[in-house]
Amino acid sequence: MNSWLIFALLAPVLWGFSNVLDCAIRREFVKNDTAITFFLAATRLPLLIVFFIIIGFKIPPINAVFFILLGGMLWMLPFILYYKAIEFEEPSRVVLLMQTAPIFVLSISFFAIGETL
């Protein structure tokens, strides 16, 4: 069996466990959507530091830093909405709706930057 097939099948299984675990943590332990989102972002910081140690770090220009921070905030905003959604509904329904993201990416990229298939 090809190794890529194992990874391709294992990824949705792990995402499924992650979604159920998110729901359990959100409902039982952490009641604040912003706090759990901040924790999610903070847990990625050690990996980022190790990554920069391995490949080296060069300070980007100030305008690039602004866009990096803006991109990070825009990347974390949907998680607040995700946690708010699983507060009210089962993760199986919320995740099904989240899987419509490629449709939105396609339509936004088509209208915003003129991408085609």
Side-chain angles (χ1 to χ4, degrees):
M1 185 184 294
N2 294 330
S3 61
W4 67 267
L5 184 60
I6 293 170
F7 292 127
L9 293 175
L10 190 59
V13 171
L14 293 176
W15 280 323
F17 281 121
S18 173
N19 291 326
V20 172
L21 185 64
D22 283 344
C23 182
I25 290 172
R26 173 62 183 90
R27 290 184 181 173
E28 299 297 324
F29 301 108
V30 182
K31 302 294 184 187
N32 188 340
D33 301 323
T34 308
I36 197 168
T37 304
F38 179 76
F39 178 74
L40 176 72
T43 58
R44 287 167 168 75
L45 187 59
L47 293 172
L48 183 67
I49 292 170
V50 169
F51 180 71
F52 281 139
I53 289 172
I54 292 171
I55 66 161
F57 181 72
K58 188 173 110 177
I59 298 175
I62 192 70
N63 59 348
V65 171
F66 170 74
F67 286 113
I68 291 169
L69 291 175
L70 180 65
M73 286 185 279
L74 289 175
W75 183 73
M76 292 309 295
L77 178 65
F79 284 102
I80 294 173
L81 302 174
Y82 165 72
Y83 287 121
K84 183 58 79 176
I86 63 172
E87 176 185 357
F88 298 113
E89 192 58 64
E90 295 300 318
S92 58
R93 291 184 184 189
V94 173
V95 172
L96 263 167
L97 291 174
M98 282 178 44
Q99 297 306 318
T100 62
I103 297 168
F104 293 109
V105 170
L106 177 65
S107 59
I108 291 170
S109 65
F110 176 77
F111 291 113
I113 59 175
E115 246 185 47
T116 58
L117 287 177

